[in-house]
């Protein structure tokens, strides 16, 4: 994957969601795909405004690094 634009987390999450959609639920790496989806869900939850209408801090770099590591794991041959 090329260097992601960290200013647009939604697009990055969309791309990883499409990637997990290519993994069958019976594939050996299905567990890793589920982990990726959990990271995506958590990140998307952080993008919503907080209860007091202040901006939430989302550590985009940490999220992207985690997704990249999981994708590498998912792409390893079984």
């Amino acid at each position: 994957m090329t260097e992601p634009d960290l200013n647009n987390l939604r697009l990055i999450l969309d791309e990883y969601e499409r990637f997990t959609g290519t993994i069958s639920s019976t594939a050996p790496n299905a567990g890793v795909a589920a982990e990726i989806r959990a990271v995506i869900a958590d990140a998307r939850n952080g993008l919503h405004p907080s209860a007091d209408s202040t901006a939430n801090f989302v550590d985009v770099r940490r999220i992207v690094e985690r997704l990249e590591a999981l994708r590498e794991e998912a792409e390893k041959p079984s």
Side-chain angles (χ1 to χ4, degrees):
M1 186 172 158
T2 61
E3 186 65 31
D5 176 10
L6 300 181
N7 293 315
N8 202 336
L9 182 58
R10 283 184 175 88
L11 289 177
I12 295 168
L13 297 176
D14 289 347
E15 183 200 329
Y16 277 93
E17 220 162 32
R18 283 189 297 274
F19 171 72
T20 62
T22 66
I23 299 173
S24 167
S25 61
T26 58
N29 55 356
V32 178
E35 286 183 64
I36 292 172
R37 285 190 294 274
V39 172
I40 291 169
D42 189 46
R44 287 193 192 280
N45 189 43
L47 293 173
H48 297 296
S50 61
D52 64 358
S53 298
T54 59
N56 288 331
F57 173 74
V58 177
D59 190 349
V60 175
R61 185 165 302 280
R62 183 189 60 79
I63 292 167
V64 171
E65 287 172 353
R66 181 68 180 137
L67 289 170
E68 286 175 348
L70 287 167
R71 185 174 185 150
E72 283 180 23
E73 186 178 336
E75 290 177 336
K76 285 181 185 175
S78 302

